[in-house]
Amino acid sequence: MMNGLLKNRQFLLLLGGQGISIFGDQIYYIGLMWTIMKQTGSAMSLGMSVICMTLPSILVMPWAGVFADRNIKKQILMISDFVRGLVMFVIAVLTLEGHFSLITINLFLVMISAMNAFFSPALSSTVPLVLDKNNLSAGNAIFEFIRRFSTILGPVIGGILISVLSISSVFVLNGLSFIISFFFSLFLKIPPINQPGRGESFFTRFKEGLFYTFRMKRLLCLTLVGGVIINFFLAPIEVFLVVISHQLRFGSTGLGWMDAAISIGALLGSVIILFSHISNQIRLSLAGLVLEGTALILAGLLPNFIPLTFFFGLLGLGISFASIGIGTTFQLITEDDKRGRVNSFNAMLGSCTVPLGALFGSFLTGQLSVPWILLCFGLIVACSGMTLYFPFKEELHGIRKIRSN
């Protein structure tokens, strides 16, 4: 399987460019947060900037999916990378010259968020076109590995660069990563897709993609379970870790270990998938969701440092299995000319669900003990995952393979 991926020139071009830009994003994020907090000293300002980084993407993404379903995916990837790189360089100059303005920075963050909204569905629609279905899961596992590895190492490198060089250096580095990704995309050849509704209006195609998700029982179930329920109940995990560390006196070191355990577990999960021949993506998804729920239940039953660290590692493993399995299933069962709209709709739901889930979890910590919350959330996650059995029971029993509709 790895040989097939390594011989696929188009996938290597996509992976090389996006791997570099993913890593650059993680390095720049800590620099951005540090800059805003240092210049304003206001948590409210930090919150406003986070809104500017997320809200435009949520609003634009459903419409961006319509463009991603056209044969202009390469152009979308290139324009998005180039604009984001240019914006990063401008922010670097502003911070270097001391012309920091929160309003200006937030306007640039709105631009980056909008470009992300166009970029994400275009990328997710491109991967299944450059990989055959037998290598799709492994290809997604490589992307997942890079994301998880970047979340661990990126902030460390960003912190070092800020202390040794300057805050501007992290913006320059991220800008370079986008420009490098832009040049990789220049040589990318994305196979064209059939577009039966090419002459239809923009709004008609938007409605078609929306109704397509609701008409298909399997797609709708995946969307509700993977994009809404699971995101909602896993969103407050970081809050729970902080509260547990405080209440049980684990300290910041204990918090760091438990947080790292999730990333390490997710890294391990992506490696397992990469080097295993997993052909049944629904079984992988179901195993991941049940593992997530089980890990949360065990964490609620045994709230001690060493068991908790191990259970959160299992949680990360389950997150990796579920994320790759569900994402690959989406790619396999969605028609080529509707994949961008379906992916953007799911991403929008996930982006809306996560902050709501985090707020709900934060509220519960003031009403119930965290171990009880973990126990309840774990039961909900595991039971939600089991609901995938009904629309996908034939695939789970091996009666038929998942295929494009």
Side-chain angles (χ1 to χ4, degrees):
M1 187 174 294
M2 278 296 294
N3 288 335
L5 292 174
L6 294 176
K7 291 178 181 178
N8 189 323
R9 183 173 181 269
Q10 302 309 314
F11 175 72
L12 292 179
L13 285 170
L14 199 63
L15 180 66
Q18 300 317 310
I20 293 171
S21 64
I22 288 171
F23 194 72
D25 264 347
Q26 292 300 322
I27 293 175
Y28 122 90
Y29 185 76
I30 188 174
L32 178 66
M33 297 296 102
W34 180 264
T35 300
I36 295 171
M37 199 64 187
K38 182 180 178 180
Q39 296 291 336
T40 66
S42 169
M44 182 63 72
S45 298
L46 203 61
M48 287 299 299
S49 296
V50 171
I51 291 174
C52 290
M53 293 171 63
T54 55
L55 185 59
S57 181
I58 293 173
L59 297 175
V60 173
M61 198 171 286
W63 308 98
V66 178
F67 292 99
D69 281 331
R70 296 176 176 173
N71 288 316
I72 56 172
K73 297 176 181 62
K74 176 178 177 177
Q75 291 88 333
I76 293 175
L77 295 177
M78 291 174 59
I79 293 172
S80 299
D81 276 334
F82 186 81
V83 172
R84 289 184 295 179
L86 186 62
V87 169
M88 284 296 152
F89 288 138
V90 173
I91 295 176
V93 171
L94 290 176
T95 54
L96 184 64
E97 297 294 328
H99 301 305
F100 179 88
S101 167
L102 186 61
I103 295 177
T104 304
I105 296 296
N106 284 342
L107 286 174
F108 283 131
L109 291 180
V110 168
M111 292 176 60
I112 292 173
S113 180
M115 289 297 100
N116 288 342
F118 281 95
F119 181 86
S120 181
L123 176 63
S124 60
S125 301
T126 298
V127 174
L129 296 178
V130 301
L131 286 178
D132 60 69
K133 64 180 181 179
N134 294 324
N135 288 321
L136 191 54
S137 178
N140 288 330
I142 294 178
F143 277 109
E144 180 71 10
F145 178 86
I146 292 174
R147 290 189 191 97
R148 296 296 176 178
F149 184 77
S150 298
T151 58
I152 296 173
L153 194 59
V156 176
I157 294 178
I160 293 173
L161 288 174
I162 292 172
S163 61
V164 175
L165 297 176
S166 66
I167 291 176
S168 299
S169 64
V170 296
F171 298 116
V172 171
L173 189 59
N174 196 31
L176 286 173
S177 74
F178 283 127
I179 299 303
I180 292 172
S181 180
F182 166 80
F183 280 109
F184 270 91
S185 298
L186 280 175
F187 303 97
L188 190 63
K189 294 181 180 179
I190 302 174
I193 60 173
N194 293 324
Q195 297 177 292
R198 190 174 182 178
E200 295 176 347
S201 68
F202 182 90
F203 190 66
T204 299
R205 290 181 62 81
F206 171 76
K207 289 193 299 182
E208 180 189 34
L210 187 64
F211 294 149
Y212 177 78
T213 302
F214 284 100
R215 284 198 312 268
M216 291 185 60
K217 183 172 66 174
R218 296 192 300 170
L219 267 180
L220 183 59
C221 186
L222 276 179
T223 299
L224 293 177
V225 173
V228 178
I229 298 175
I230 304 302
N231 276 337
F232 184 86
F233 288 101
L234 290 186
I237 289 298
E238 293 291 336
V239 176
F240 296 157
L241 289 178
V242 174
V243 175
I244 287 175
S245 299
H246 177 71
Q247 291 180 348
L248 302 182
R249 303 182 187 279
F250 294 157
S252 59
T253 302
L255 172 62
W257 276 108
M258 289 189 293
D259 196 20
I262 298 177
S263 296
I264 292 171
L267 271 177
L268 179 61
S270 62
V271 172
I272 291 173
I273 296 171
L274 180 59
F275 291 99
S276 302
H277 185 67
I278 300 175
S279 57
N280 196 313
Q281 300 303 315
I282 286 298
R283 288 181 185 172
L284 179 64
S285 306
L286 188 56
L289 294 172
V290 172
L291 188 57
E292 289 175 7
T294 303
L296 291 175
I297 292 171
L298 292 173
L301 293 174
L302 296 170
N304 297 306
F305 177 66
I306 293 178
L308 280 174
T309 304
F310 177 73
F311 296 146
F312 283 124
L314 288 180
L315 176 64
L317 187 69
I319 289 173
S320 186
F321 285 178
S323 175
I324 294 170
I326 291 175
T328 305
T329 302
F330 266 120
Q331 293 170 333
L332 289 172
I333 70 175
T334 307
E335 295 175 16
D336 289 343
D337 68 310
K338 298 179 179 66
R339 198 173 283 130
R341 283 166 285 178
V342 170
N343 287 334
S344 62
F345 178 64
N346 293 333
M348 182 200 69
L349 285 179
S351 299
C352 293
T353 303
V354 167
L356 293 176
L359 286 173
F360 179 68
S362 300
F363 168 76
L364 285 183
T365 57
Q367 313 299 319
L368 300 169
S369 67
V370 174
W372 273 107
I373 299 173
L374 291 174
L375 181 62
C376 295
F377 277 26
L379 287 170
I380 294 172
V381 169
C383 291
S384 299
M386 293 298 292
T387 61
L388 291 180
Y389 171 83
F390 300 102
F392 291 97
K393 59 183 177 181
E394 291 184 347
E395 288 85 355
L396 285 168
H397 290 299
I399 297 174
R400 67 172 177 175
K401 293 182 178 179
I402 295 176
R403 59 181 175 82
S404 177
N405 289 290

